[in-house]
Amino acid sequence: MLFSPCMLACSRTCSRILGLSLGTSALFATMANMALLFPNWDVTFLWRGLIGRPALLGAGLWGGGLMVFTAATLISLMGWRYGCFSKSGPCRSVLTALLSSGLALLGALICFITSGVALKDGPFCMFDVSFFNQTQAWTYGYPFKDLHNRNYLYDRSLWNSVCLEPSEAVVWHVSFFSILLCISLLQLLLVVIHFINSFLGLFCSLCEK
């Protein structure tokens, strides 16, 4: 088949682009999660242990970050046919594609689910309990988690009236977890494209032989 060498070259080029795209997205996910550990770029909240569980879990660091970056490195090596991939056969290529796809898929899914749950529960901040009942006391917690009758994501009047510390806690939380959610969604899309591209590359390799 005369078109198979051209398609094989396109498949490898696609792998290089996918590897670069996934690697870049992993770096952005890492930076977004790092920002969540330092609300308003203030390190004292981390030192005092006043950071929410989703941010401390670090799904953007090791899920959408490290795991996806590792997969991106494997994909790039396959695309450039570098090192042990320079003369790899179809079986090794498929196994590597499945490994890299699975690794990136798992990392992106973890980041996506964690970000979604974090956006649903709201930020960890200091709030006045009297806002919800008659007992006046300030405490740290998740004031929007059990707020069933109002959704803080759509009611912006709650953003500056509930959380007292850190300042702009809701904006910081929503902004960076939304970024993580979008990045992980993009990563999932790139993984699907890589999966399809890998099988096209395998088909072309077999045709070439």
Side-chain angles (χ1 to χ4, degrees), residues 124-199:
F124 181 81
C125 63
M126 183 174 74
F127 64 100
D128 189 353
V129 181
S130 63
F131 186 87
F132 302 98
N133 53 51
Q134 299 303 315
T135 305
Q136 185 162 357
W138 290 357
T139 184
Y140 270 91
Y142 299 91
F144 303 111
K145 191 173 183 179
D146 299 317
L147 198 63
H148 301 296
N149 57 335
R150 297 169 74 181
N151 191 324
Y152 83 99
L153 289 171
Y154 303 108
D155 190 350
R156 290 205 169 192
S157 64
L158 297 172
W159 286 27
N160 295 318
S161 60
V162 177
C163 284
L164 305 175
E165 186 183 77
S167 60
E168 303 294 333
V170 181
V171 175
W172 197 269
H173 179 88
V174 171
S175 298
F176 286 105
F177 271 116
S178 295
I179 290 171
L180 278 176
L181 193 73
C182 293
I183 289 173
S184 56
L185 190 61
L186 174 63
Q187 289 173 341
L188 290 170
L189 177 62
L190 290 172
V191 169
V192 172
I193 296 172
H194 168 60
F195 193 75
I196 296 170
N197 178 66
S198 298
F199 276 95

Side-chain angles (χ1 to χ4, degrees), residues 29-40:
T30 301
M31 289 188 288
N33 204 135
M34 286 294 292
L36 286 165
L37 296 175
F38 306 102
N40 298 331

Side-chain angles (χ1 to χ4, degrees), residues 5-98:
C6 181
M7 286 184 64
L8 185 59
C10 289
S11 177
R12 290 173 183 170
T13 302
C14 186
S15 292
R16 297 167 193 168
I17 296 171
L18 287 171
L20 179 63
S21 301
L22 278 170
T24 304
S25 69
L27 292 176
F28 278 112
T30 301
M31 289 188 288
N33 204 135
M34 286 294 292
L36 286 165
L37 296 175
F38 306 102
N40 298 331
W41 307 116
D42 191 344
V43 298
T44 57
F45 293 104
L46 183 61
W47 288 345
R48 292 158 58 194
L50 299 176
I51 302 295
R53 286 188 301 272
L56 285 176
L57 183 61
L61 293 174
W62 59 269
L66 181 61
M67 291 175 69
V68 173
F69 189 81
T70 304
T73 304
L74 288 172
I75 294 169
S76 295
L77 289 174
M78 288 174 60
W80 289 102
R81 309 289 286 181
Y82 184 79
C84 61
F85 299 102
S86 58
K87 296 181 180 179
S88 60
C91 291
R92 181 185 291 182
S93 297
V94 170
L95 286 174
T96 307
L98 289 174

